[in-house]
Structures are given as structure tokens and as C-alpha cells.
Amino acid sequence: MPVPALLVLLFCLRGRAGLSPHFLQQPEDLVVVLGEEARLPCALGTYSGLVQWTKDGLALGGERDLPGWSRYWISGNAASGQHDLHIRPVELEDQASYECQATQAGLRSRPAQLHVLVPPEAPHVLGGPSVSLVAGVPANLTCQSRGDARPTPELLWFRDGVRLDGTTSYQTLLKKGTTESVESILSLTPSSHDDGATLVCRARSQALPAGRDTAITLSLQYSPVVTLSAEPQTVQEGEKVAFLCQARAQPPVTGYRWAKGGSPVLGARGPMLEVVADASFLTAPVSCEVSNAVGSTNRSTALDVQFGPILLAKPEPMSVDLGEDASFSCAWRGNPLPRVTWTRRGVAQVLGYGPTLRLPSVGPEDAGDYVCRAEPGLSGHGGGAAEARLTVNAPPVVTALHSAPAFLWGPARLQCLVFASPAPEAVVWSLDEGFLEKGSRGRFLVETFPAPEGRVGQGPGLISVLHISATQESDFSRGFNCSARNRLGEGSTWISLGRRASFSKQKNLVRIPGSSHGSSLQGPEEEETGSNEDQGPIMHMDSSDLVLDEEGALETKDPTNGYYKVRGVSVSLNLGKTPGGDLFLPPASPLGPLGTPPFCDFNSHLGIPPPCRLYRAQAGYLTTPHSRAFASYIKPTSFGPPDLAPRTPPFPYAAFPTPSHPRLQTHV
């Protein structure tokens, strides 16, 4: 065969091979929702023979309307090779494997799996549509989805369109392996604010992406929700305040109870309480407790009570050594916070502010009373002051007190004033004979007495008195040292004894009334008149001891230099008149010889010979001279504390007069 003929034959054979039947389109796996329509495509080329569909290997038939399968049919133009399988509505039994076959050409398409989806039904919430819960008590809400939903649905919880967390899901399977039900449990602890809230349980799957919802409403039982208010909230002490206790509860409120600072307010039962505010309401809040069948709720509030300062702690007295630091503290309570000032008594200057006053390196001038003061509040109530004393411990301060001049050979007294803190261990007088702290030695006697209060904070005071029974010439020329010591040091002062002028030699007759004696003092004139009136004894007085009173009468000076308190006497220098009144001496001593006229002659003490006779007009005459008529004293065992004259200025300018002593013995 020639070569061209062979090529033509091969071309013809190739052309006939291209016209053989074949699939232009084969069915593919399909997912369809139950009740919807399913379409499986199938297209053949160069094939005009019988085409049929099989379901799980079972032939459905070759006719287009597929008799016996009411929901099945084949569509498309058979001449063009289109043979699509339709199923409507799809049921669960339609889920199978499908093939398109060209039986005469021996062609079979690949299998196509039809999946039927079953949408979930609306879920069911146990206890719905209104679920009763107790506020504050943990609870579980259960949502169930039953039926043959395919695939297994997902259960979700929503509130106000927001998905809620905290859920747990469970599945219950049948023996065949299919799902019987699905449950979702939502755990929550509701509050009173959840009352009336709407929750949604949604079941969704691939068959129903939008899902199906079931809504429930929460019905909460809760203990009372309480709001406590006060009107007014800020109040002055003494004003009225009304407390209002508002509550909402399910079930309803059953009772109210009021308390202040934890203590019940007796008689208060309703939702309102009226009181009169005082400072205690600032720290003792008012509470209202409301109850119902579920429980009780307590709310409290404190008033802003404005009140004046109240003293909580007083400052304490202090005793510090010289040069050390001192501090005082006091505490006041008030609203608003009190303004506390510190001053020193008697001084207007403010030394500090606040609860504490510090005094660095104190000296004697810092001793005194310090005052912690708080002014009254806006209401005019409260406030006041508290004080404490600062005592500065220092060496003793010794000061000489005024001592009256003394006669030579007469009694004398010297005084010193001692202030010391701590109290002095000893007060000592320095004498020619040595030192004397207490008791007596020879002519000297030392006594110690408490002193009137001196400068505040200076410590206790003492007055040490040195008594001299009979002065000597050397006592007026030398000084006496009074010294005191304590643990911090020693203080001393020198005191000089002043000398009093001697009596003059001019005599005066002085009558001492009230004396009894065994001799008659009647003069010749008196004997003639027969007068037996006792005019009293006569004593010689120096005219220098006579002073003129405001009415012009002469009065005698005190010859004891103030050592004894005795009454003065009016003396007449006119011998033609009878002297009368009281002498500035106690009655004369009866120690003289019997019949000695009881009058005193001070000139014998001065070394002047006594006269032989003294006359007295209209009172007879004295015939017996007196060898000694000076009034001497008997030393007492105790002279007693010094007397303070009226309106005596305070130390250090105080002058202490001599103590009174009634005992005086006159030797004649």
C-alpha cells in the first residue's frame, strides 16, 4: 500500500475514536437541608442511549419521571446529553451515594454523596419561661435541644445580645450512635439587679446558622436593697436630723430596726428616725436593718456633726532639771478640728500651736503654769483651757528677809527665805561658833517654817529663822550667812543685824494697870482724899520711847523691838495729872521683895543709877528705889511661824514681821 493511502486510513481511524461517549459533567457530593431540593448534575457527550441513576447501587429507572420515586425526577435535554437528578423535598432517607450511568456505553460516573442536614428545634430551658431564683445564691440554668438534628447543634446563652460565658455542655447519645439530646448549663450568682432580666438560649448548627432561640425571664427573690440617707447630712450640734431608710425587696419588707453605734435605738420601728445631733454621731454611725423572708440588709451612715472642742487629755505637770528640754501635750476633739494655742499664765503671748508645746533648754525664767486652750466651735459650745505646771529644778535661791533692829543685850531675830526644787537637803546658818542647821546652841536657836508660795514653778519655800537670845557687840559688826543646798547646787545670802538706838536718860513715869501688889502707892494727897483706886504700877520710860499719836497723845514705843505683841500705853508727861491707859509691856513680875513698888526702870539696864525718890502728882510718891527694873524674857521652846502683815507683797519683796508671843517676865 502506498504511503499516502496509509496516512488517510490512520486519520480516519483517529476521527472515529473522538466520537465515543464520555461524561461532560459528573455529580459531586452535596449537602442539603432537610426539606429543601437536591440537584445532582450529569452530562454525556456523543451518547444518545439509556441513562439512569442509582442510589446506593439501586437503579432508579431510565425514565425521566422515575416512576415509583415521587420526589425524584431527571431534568435536562436528553438530546444534548443533560441528565440531572432532582430530589424534592429532601428527606433523611435521601441521604445516600448516587451515580449517573450510561448503560449502553458502559459508563459510570464517580459516586456523589448526598448529605441531609436536620436543623435543630427551638431549645427548651428548664423552669422557663419564668425562672425563679434567689439573689446571692448560686444557680444553674439548663437549656436542652432534643430531636434528630444533624449535625449536633451548639447551644449558646445570650443577655441583651451579648454572649455569656461560664457554660458547660453535655451530649446524650443513643445506642445507635446518634445524638438524642444536647444540654447546656449556665452557672450564675444572680443579684437583685437581675430581677426581670431576659436570657436567651440559642441552638445553632450548619443546618441553621442563625439558630433558634428560646427566651426566659428571671424572677428574683432577694433580701431588701436599702438606701439610707440623712437630712441634713451636715448639722450643728443640737439640731434635729431625719434619717430615711428606703428599701425594695422581693418578697416584701417585713420589718425595720434602727441602731446607733451598734446599740439598738429603742422604740424606732418604721422607715424614718428623727434625732437631735450631738458629737457622738460623728463616730457612732446610725444604721438601719431591713428584713424580709429571704434575709436582712443593714446600711449605716455617719453624720457630719459640727461641735465645739472637747478636752480628751490634760497636760501633765513636769519637773525638769535646769538646761533640759520640757514638753507638754494636750488633746482636744472637735469638728472642725479645734485650733489649739499654748500660753503661759499671766502672759498674753502665744507660745505655740497644736497638741504639743516644746520648751528647749529651760531656765528658771521658764518655770510657771502653761495653758493649753481651744476656742469654742461655731455653735458656741465647747472649748476651754487646761493647764499644767513646769517646775525647773535648780540650785536653791536664798533671800534675806527684813529683820528688825535689836538692842544690845536684847533679843534679835534674823530670817532667810529659801526656794528650791528639789527641796533643800539642809538650811544652815554660819555663826562664830560654827554652823547651826536646827535646834539650839548657846545664844542661838534655829527654826524652819513653810513659806508662802513664791513664784510659780520655783519649788516649795522655807523660812529659816535664827533667834539670838541676848545680842552682843560682835553680832552687829559681823554678818550671818544663811545657805541651802540640794543635789543641783548651793545658794546663800549674808544678813546683817541692825542696831537700835539706846534709851535716853530722861525718865518718864509709866503706869502699868491691872497689876496686883502688896504695897500701897498712895501719895500724901491720895491719903488725904482716902482714894483706894488702884491706878496701876509705874515704870520708868525713856522719853525717846514715847511717840505722838494722831490725836496728840503720847504713846510708848515697843521696847521689845516687835519681838512680842503687847499693847501700847498712853503716857502723860504732866506730873500734875494722873497717868492712865495701858503700858507697852506685860504686867510687872512679883519677884521683887515684898512691898517693892511695882514699877520698871529701864535706866538700870543702861547703867544709870536709879533715883532715890520719884514723885507723882495726885498719886502719892515712891519711897523705894529699884536696883533693877529692866524687863527680861524667858527663851521659849518655839516661837511659832512668822506672821504675815496684811497686804504683804509676794516674795522676793515680802517683809515678814515678828511673831506674837505673850509671855514676858519682869524682874524688879
Side-chain angles (χ1 to χ4, degrees), residues 161-184:
V162 179
R163 182 176 174 178
L164 301 178
D165 296 325
T167 60
T168 304
S169 298
Y170 300 92
Q171 292 183 356
T172 302
L173 302 178
L174 297 176
K175 293 181 180 181
K176 297 180 180 179
T178 60
T179 301
E180 180 182 21
S181 67
V182 178
E183 291 184 355
S184 178

Side-chain angles (χ1 to χ4, degrees), residues 446-606:
V446 172
E447 289 186 306
T448 303
F449 306 98
E453 183 178 358
R455 190 170 60 198
V456 174
Q458 196 172 20
L462 297 174
I463 295 178
S464 182
V465 182
L466 174 65
H467 301 277
I468 306 174
S469 61
T471 61
Q472 299 177 0
E473 191 69 40
S474 60
D475 294 336
F476 300 101
S477 60
R478 66 173 176 175
F480 295 85
N481 181 271
C482 177
S483 63
R485 67 176 181 273
N486 62 12
R487 64 177 177 82
L488 295 175
E490 182 175 343
S492 64
T493 186
W494 283 90
I495 306 175
S496 298
L497 178 61
R499 186 167 183 171
R500 187 168 184 177
S502 302
F503 293 108
S504 68
K505 296 184 174 156
Q506 181 180 354
K507 298 289 185 67
N508 293 290
L509 299 180
V510 180
R511 182 179 303 280
I512 305 176
S515 299
S516 61
H517 49 82
S519 63
S520 173
L521 296 180
Q522 291 179 344
E525 295 80 358
E526 292 174 347
E527 292 174 356
E528 295 175 359
T529 61
S531 174
N532 293 325
E533 181 182 359
D534 182 9
Q535 300 294 330
I538 299 174
M539 69 177 291
H540 291 278
M541 294 293 293
D542 192 323
S543 61
S544 64
D545 294 328
L546 301 178
V547 294
L548 190 65
D549 62 12
E550 293 179 355
E551 297 179 355
L554 288 175
E555 292 184 349
T556 57
K557 296 180 182 178
D558 182 359
T560 63
N561 194 25
Y563 192 68
Y564 300 103
K565 285 188 176 178
V566 295
R567 294 180 298 171
V569 62
S570 298
V571 180
S572 174
L573 296 180
N574 185 354
L575 297 179
K577 295 182 180 180
T578 301
D582 297 333
L583 177 66
F584 198 89
L585 283 175
S589 171
L591 298 179
L594 184 61
T596 301
F599 66 88
C600 303
D601 182 3
F602 284 93
N603 288 303
S604 63
H605 172 66
L606 302 175

